[in-house]
Amino acid sequence: MSAPTVDLMDYSDVIARFEPVLGMEVHVELNTATKMFCGCPTEFGAQPNTQVCPVCLGLPGSLPVVNQKAVESAIRIGLALNCTITPWGRFARKNYFYPDQPKNYQISQYDEPIATNGHLDVLLDDGSTFRVEIERAHMEEDTGKSVHIGGATGRIHGASHSLLDYNRAGVPLIEIVTKPITGAGERAPEVARAYVTALRDLLKALGVSDVKMEQGSLRCDANVSLMPIGATEFGTRTETKNVNSLRSVEVAVRFEMRRQAAVLAGGGTIVQETRHFHETDGTTSPGRRKETAEDYRYFPEPDLEPVAPDAEWVEQLRGTIPEYPWLRRARIQSDWGLSHEVMRDLVNAGALDLIIATVDAGAPANEARSWWVAYLTEKAKEREVPLDELPITPAQVAEVIKLVDAKSINNKVAKQVVDYVLAGEGDPAQIVEAKGLGMVSDDSALQAEVEKALAANPDIADKIRSGKVQAAGKIVGDVMKATRGQADAARVRELVLAACV
Ligand SMILES: [Zn+2]
């Protein structure tokens, strides 16, 4: 539930009096098949405590081993963020007791992170860019999950008991921390959202995470403080935890700015604390007082070798960094000659990458776009799944388009073929073959159907012969029906008219 009524300053007054300073901390769960320090699977949604072993449960005598794929992903993320990759760095133990942390410490990185000192130029709504400086990206392991039973909202408050699920304990995480973001002024909330958006898109393009904020594979904490205009010393900051949608990032930052401004203007002081964000009304409420680094008694992890990526490997990974998604979008928009609005709709519909992949598989851009935004979007809505979770690949869509262009099937049959693909019956060409859906292109077979239809409708045949060519529609319809829709209607029409000369 939200906190008691909080005083808020009007946003324009906040901006007139204060300069906001932001700091963003984003945790991203990597999509490696196994955990950070053991071979347990990482799949989301399994039965509780079925993906655990002595290492991730922290049982005495068990020893961790670093997941190489996770290190590779960490380096690629660091490179994509223009960071320096450390040639030698150790893991550290972060000591704290919390029930969802079975070892009573978390293996993290402290003063020797894998990547430091980078930046990301993020795109704002008006097309301008804002540079966000990156302090560090480091590797760590995720905690388990507490499930509180009996309370009204799944929170610990009011719960009768709590259950622990350690499936997530030990899943590889990368924490990406910005340097203080200053100079954004009134656009600070927008910059925060644009930064997390850019980071999400970049991580997705890197293929290192499924970046689903709603499933917690991308989690964002927003640090906010205010200082009077003209001051140089930062104010005390609060950290709003686990803001779980892009829009909420913007809402949470704006709310904290207005709340802190009201406290400061009223002569109060800001308490350094974590705060909870409430999705329902866009407010924050106090959490725990913030621990300092000393509270965690960090020390180098004695059970693990240092990570020392050799320069050649790092350079090789640098070659795998993709074009920034927003630059790629701008390039494609201009290549395809699309308006800003059409492009935005494609992106919002989650169709852009699918269309690009379909074009890469050999389909013309217009046809690829039309399939994904029309018929397939409709199918995704019917099934209530995101477009990219439909069981059809861009290559299969490109194959359907090729079959139509080659006049092997017509547009109507193409939809049936797509339905069969969605039903899991195989690839388009196989389906056309197996179901006998190929277009009847044999003129003599069509000719016979035309003769039959004309013979069955002598009055219409007479009309056509007397020059009323619009009457041919009925005959064409009958032939299409007789061929189960598998004929080329234009060709049938030609044959009908030819037969009536
Ligand atoms: Zn394990």
Side-chain angles (χ1 to χ4, degrees), residues 168-332:
R168 201 180 66 179
V171 167
L173 283 184
I174 305 295
E175 180 174 352
I176 300 161
V177 182
T178 66
K179 291 182 180 170
I181 301 169
T182 57
E186 67 173 326
R187 304 189 78 169
E190 185 195 343
V191 167
R193 170 176 49 79
Y195 168 70
V196 180
T197 305
L199 200 52
R200 181 199 61 172
D201 292 352
L202 179 57
L203 293 164
K204 189 163 189 209
L206 284 165
V208 294
S209 169
D210 60 12
V211 291
K212 289 189 176 149
M213 291 185 89
E214 70 284 3
Q215 284 183 5
S217 55
L218 185 84
R219 310 199 278 272
C220 174
D221 304 335
N223 290 280
V224 178
S225 69
L226 296 180
M227 55 185 182
I229 299 279
T232 51
E233 201 178 317
F234 294 167
T236 303
R237 66 192 156 86
T238 60
E239 180 181 359
T240 303
K241 302 290 280 183
N242 293 333
V243 191
N244 287 331
S245 75
L246 294 170
R247 191 183 151 272
S248 296
V249 171
E250 185 165 357
V251 172
V253 168
R254 183 183 291 261
F255 180 87
E256 265 308 279
M257 286 170 64
R258 294 182 62 199
R259 185 190 71 82
Q260 292 185 14
V263 171
L264 294 170
T269 52
I270 302 299
V271 180
Q272 186 173 342
E273 64 187 356
T274 62
R275 296 184 67 87
H276 298 298
F277 179 69
H278 305 283
E279 295 279 346
T280 42
D281 59 4
T283 64
T284 69
S285 63
R288 60 187 156 81
R289 294 289 168 108
K290 181 73 179 153
E291 289 88 352
T292 60
E294 295 83 67
D295 294 329
Y296 292 124
R297 304 177 329 280
Y298 283 101
F299 61 85
E301 169 58 53
D303 287 342
L304 286 168
E305 293 271 321
V307 173
D310 68 62
E312 203 181 315
W313 186 37
V314 172
E315 283 319 300
Q316 194 187 322
L317 293 177
R318 196 187 297 279
T320 70
I321 305 305
E323 184 183 10
Y324 283 138
W326 46 98
L327 297 181
R328 174 167 163 262
R329 276 203 288 274
R331 181 173 54 75
I332 286 166

Side-chain angles (χ1 to χ4, degrees), residues 61-197:
S62 63
L63 284 173
V65 176
V66 178
N67 181 334
Q68 183 181 352
K69 184 75 187 171
V71 176
E72 180 185 301
S73 295
I75 294 173
R76 292 179 69 233
I77 291 170
L79 292 171
L81 294 171
N82 306 292
C83 289
T84 304
I85 304 303
T86 186
W88 191 91
R90 286 173 295 186
F91 284 96
R93 275 192 193 181
K94 182 180 184 180
N95 295 281
Y96 65 96
F97 175 77
Y98 202 74
D100 62 12
Q101 178 54 272
K103 294 201 288 267
N104 289 342
Y105 61 84
Q106 178 187 30
I107 304 180
S108 180
Q109 291 191 297
Y110 181 48
D111 49 358
E112 299 167 17
I114 184 91
T116 53
N117 286 322
H119 64 264
L120 188 62
D121 290 327
V122 306
L123 196 61
L124 301 184
D125 290 343
D126 66 358
S128 63
T129 56
F130 187 96
R131 174 160 292 191
V132 174
E133 306 277 349
I134 306 292
E135 182 176 297
R136 57 193 271 144
H138 70 251
M139 300 180 279
E140 59 186 34
E141 57 179 335
D142 211 343
T143 59
K145 255 184 201 164
S146 304
V147 183
H148 306 298
I149 309 292
T153 55
R155 286 177 174 269
I156 194 163
H157 182 76
S160 59
H161 59 288
S162 298
L163 300 171
L164 291 163
D165 176 7
Y166 289 125
N167 282 352
R168 201 180 66 179
V171 167
L173 283 184
I174 305 295
E175 180 174 352
I176 300 161
V177 182
T178 66
K179 291 182 180 170
I181 301 169
T182 57
E186 67 173 326
R187 304 189 78 169
E190 185 195 343
V191 167
R193 170 176 49 79
Y195 168 70
V196 180
T197 305

